[in-house]
Amino acid sequence: MLTHDRLIRLCNARNALRVTGEAALSIDEIAQAAAMSRFHFVRQFKALFGETPVQLRTKARLDEARHHLIFSDAPITEICMAVGFSSLGSFSTLFSSRFGRSPSQFREALSHVPEQVYPDCLSVLRAAWEAGAQNSRSEEHTD
Amino acid sequence: MKISVTSIMVDDQQKALDFYTHILGFVKKQDFPVGEFRWISVVSPEGGETELSLEPNVNPAGKTFQEAIFEQGIPFTAFEVDDLDAEYERLKALGVAFTTEPTAAGPVSIAVFADTCGNLIQIYQHQSTE
C-alpha cells in the first residue's frame, strides 16, 4: 500500500520533474530526493501517475511550451529551447501528438479565438454543436 | 431535475479513457473531438444512466484544486461496489496503487486508490444490516 508519506514524496518528485531549464534535476537525483531506488521510484511513480518520470517530464515541457505560445510572442524556436528540447523537429512532432496541431498551427488558431484559452465545458459543447450544425448546413447545400 | 452527467478532471484524456474502461470496467458512451480536446463520457455496465465525463484539467484553477486535494489524500469522488474485497483484489492485481486498504467506516467499508490521472477515488460497499 502507498503510505501518505510516500504519496507526498512522489508528488514532490512530480513537481521536480516539471522544472525546466538549468534548474532541472536528473531522474536519479529526483529518485534520491524521494528516498527510493531508481527502480522502485519509476515503478511506484507509474502506478500512481500512469506514466514514467520521463514521460511526465516531456508532457510538462510541452504544457509549458503551450503556455508560452498563448501568453508570449516569443519565436517558436526560442520556446522550444527554453522548455528543454534541443531539436525543433522532435518538439514539433511531440507537440502535434499531444495537442493535435503543430506549434505554429496552434498559435495561428489561437489568434482567432483569444478569449477561449480555457473554455468551460458548456462553451466546448456549444462550439461542438454549432460546428455540427454548420457541417449539416454545408452538406444540405451540396446536395 | 436529474443528475445525468457528472465529471472528473483528468490530466490526460486518452490515459483516463484507458484506465476507466480497461481497468475499472466502465463503458465508453461518448467520444467526439472538440478543438484540441475531446468530449468523453463513460457509464457503468451495471446499470444507471449517469454519465461520467472525463474532463481535461487544462484550466490552472482546476489543476491547482485537483493537485491540492490529491496531496492531502482526499478522494475526488466515490463509486459504489457490491463486493469491496473482491474489487480491491482485482484492481490490485492489475497494478492499481491503493492509499487505503479495505477499511470499515460506519455504515460502509471503503478503500481508496489512484486513478493515474491525478485523482484519488474511493470505492465503498454498504455494510449488510442482516
Side-chain angles (χ1 to χ4, degrees):
Chain A
M1 198 189 73
L2 199 59
T3 62
H4 190 67
D5 173 61
R6 187 157 282 206
L7 176 79
I8 296 293
R9 281 188 273 139
L10 288 164
C11 287
N12 290 341
R14 176 174 64 172
N15 293 338
L17 285 162
R18 288 172 173 159
V19 175
T20 57
E22 290 179 4
L25 299 174
S26 71
I27 304 292
D28 283 333
E29 287 171 324
I30 293 172
Q32 197 173 13
M36 292 179 218
S37 70
R38 184 181 170 119
F39 175 79
H40 282 103
F41 171 64
V42 172
R43 196 167 60 94
Q44 294 219 332
F45 192 92
K46 191 167 190 315
L48 190 61
F49 298 117
E51 53 203 350
T52 66
V54 170
Q55 287 170 329
L56 187 131
R57 168 165 274 169
T58 300
K59 281 167 77 170
R61 287 174 173 175
L62 293 171
D63 288 345
E64 192 179 336
R66 179 185 184 277
H67 180 86
H68 288 312
L69 285 168
I70 294 169
F71 294 108
S72 84
D73 296 324
I76 290 171
T77 308
E78 196 177 294
I79 292 173
C80 161
M81 300 299 167
V83 300
F85 291 97
S86 52
S87 154
L88 188 59
S90 63
F91 166 61
S92 188
T93 302
L94 289 165
F95 191 94
S96 301
S97 168
R98 177 147 170 77
F99 299 115
R101 58 185 78 182
S102 70
S104 54
Q105 288 169 334
F106 178 84
R107 183 170 259 173
E108 170 65 18
L110 196 69
S111 65
H112 300 307
V113 283
E115 75 280 10
Q116 289 292 304
V117 172
Y118 300 120
D120 63 279
C121 61
L122 292 178
S123 304
V124 166
L125 271 184
R126 188 174 63 238
W129 184 84
E130 285 171 357
Q134 212 164 38
N135 289 342
S136 302
R137 281 197 296 273
S138 305
E139 284 166 14
E140 282 171 18
H141 288 308
T142 54
D143 283 344
Chain B
M1 197 175 288
K2 295 189 296 184
I3 300 174
S4 53
V5 180
T6 185
S7 65
I8 190 161
M9 290 183 283
V10 296
D11 61 11
D12 183 306
Q13 287 186 290
Q14 183 57 51
K15 187 173 71 173
L17 182 60
D18 290 341
F19 185 86
Y20 278 79
T21 55
H22 297 151
I23 304 294
L24 296 191
F26 292 141
V27 178
K28 184 169 74 174
K29 177 78 183 278
Q30 299 199 64
D31 183 1
F32 55 87
V34 184
E36 64 186 284
F37 301 107
R38 291 150 68 184
W39 181 270
I40 303 175
S41 70
V42 296
V43 292
S44 169
E46 297 173 25
E49 294 179 358
T50 307
E51 294 179 39
L52 179 68
S53 169
L54 307 176
E55 284 198 62
N57 69 347
V58 68
N59 189 318
K63 196 170 181 174
T64 300
F65 166 74
Q66 184 192 35
E67 293 188 2
I69 64 167
F70 185 83
E71 292 187 22
Q72 290 165 11
I74 298 172
F76 192 97
T77 192
F79 303 130
E80 183 181 355
V81 296
D82 292 332
D83 186 335
L84 184 70
D85 289 334
E87 197 63 34
Y88 169 75
E89 292 299 338
R90 184 184 77 82
L91 293 175
K92 203 172 144 192
L94 291 171
V96 173
F98 277 82
T99 59
T100 304
E101 293 174 336
T103 308
V108 294
S109 296
I110 63 165
V112 179
F113 63 84
D115 75 350
T116 72
C117 303
N119 306 295
L120 294 176
I121 303 292
Q122 181 172 294
I123 48 177
Y124 65 95
Q125 177 190 349
H126 286 289
Q127 300 279 24
S128 172
T129 52
E130 292 173 12

